Structure formats: structure tokens, C-alpha cells
Amino acid sequence: MESGIKAVIKSVRMVAVTGATTELGGTVTGSSGFTLNDKAAVIEGDIVLYPDGKQSLVLAETNAVFRQQESDGKSHSFASTRTVIANGDKIITAGQNSLAIIEFVGHESGLYVLDDTEVQKLKQEGWL
């Protein structure tokens, strides 16, 4: 993440994987072919299971930076923290802490691999 360029961060969202959780206590199961630490990344349409047995679906990200292209030409957005669920819930923990979507003021978002020091710094600054 260090490059000598001092860009201003606008938002930080962690990419969600199997085990991500929601505000209402749901647990998300990822189904994409992309894995991180042996956990499948979550994409739109994946299932959220709640403690009472109810289920809901992960909704599409409108400004997705990270997408999975299918062989039939369809594209699915990857979910991240703050992604909305069909029942109005949203993802609050990603299930991992090393792959982030960072948006900078005046620049496009990008996908960044973070080390423990960078994660701690972002937490201290209130981004995570």
C-alpha cells in the first residue's frame, strides 16, 4: 500500500469470504471459484443463514470493483463489508482481514492485499 503517493482514503471495505457475518447475526457462505485462505469469496446470490433457520441472499454491488466472469458471459459482483442482503441486513465482518477494496478521493477503487501492520493502522484510523 505504501508507494510514496499520499492519496486520501475515501472508504475501505474488506472482501467477504465464507464465514462473514451480518448485523442481524447471519453467516454467509461463499460460492465463487476465488478463494482466500481456503475460504470461497462471497458473490451476489450467495446464501446468508440466520440462527432461526431463515435464509436470505447477498445482493449485487452497484459499484463493484471485483467481479467474477462466468463462462456463459454473466458477471457477478463480489461482496464486501457493508454489502446489503435481500432482507435489508448487511455484512459487517468479512471472514478475513487481508484483502480490501480501498477507494481514494478523486481516484478509482482498487483491490489491495494488506499486511497485519496496515490492517492495524486502518483500524486505528477508524476505517475498519
Side-chain angles (χ1 to χ4, degrees):
M1 209 165 76
E2 289 290 326
S3 67
I5 299 172
K6 299 296 180 192
V8 177
I9 294 175
K10 183 175 180 181
S11 71
V12 178
R13 298 169 66 144
M14 301 304 287
V15 174
V17 298
T18 294
T21 59
T22 70
E23 280 185 337
L24 300 177
T27 302
V28 189
T29 301
S31 69
S32 78
F34 177 80
T35 61
L36 185 62
N37 299 323
D38 297 321
K39 295 180 180 180
V42 175
I43 58 174
E44 64 186 87
D46 280 348
I47 294 173
V48 180
L49 180 62
Y50 292 90
D52 63 3
K54 291 182 182 176
Q55 295 182 357
S56 194
L57 299 176
V58 174
L59 296 179
E61 285 286 340
T62 54
N63 297 321
V65 170
F66 194 29
R67 300 187 73 79
Q68 175 171 298
Q69 193 71 34
E70 301 294 336
S71 59
D72 62 5
K74 292 182 181 176
S75 175
H76 301 285
S77 60
F78 282 80
S80 60
T81 49
R82 297 194 304 270
T83 294
V84 178
I85 308 305
N87 65 0
D89 196 4
K90 66 180 164 182
I91 296 173
I92 58 169
T93 67
Q96 61 84 29
N97 65 354
S98 62
L99 190 61
I101 299 165
I102 302 178
E103 182 180 4
F104 296 95
V105 174
H107 300 281
E108 291 186 19
S109 300
L111 198 57
Y112 295 86
V113 176
L114 306 175
D115 64 26
D116 289 340
T117 302
E118 291 166 326
V119 169
Q120 289 307 315
K121 182 177 179 192
L122 289 169
K123 283 181 180 180
Q124 289 171 349
E125 293 173 355
W127 293 108
L128 300 176

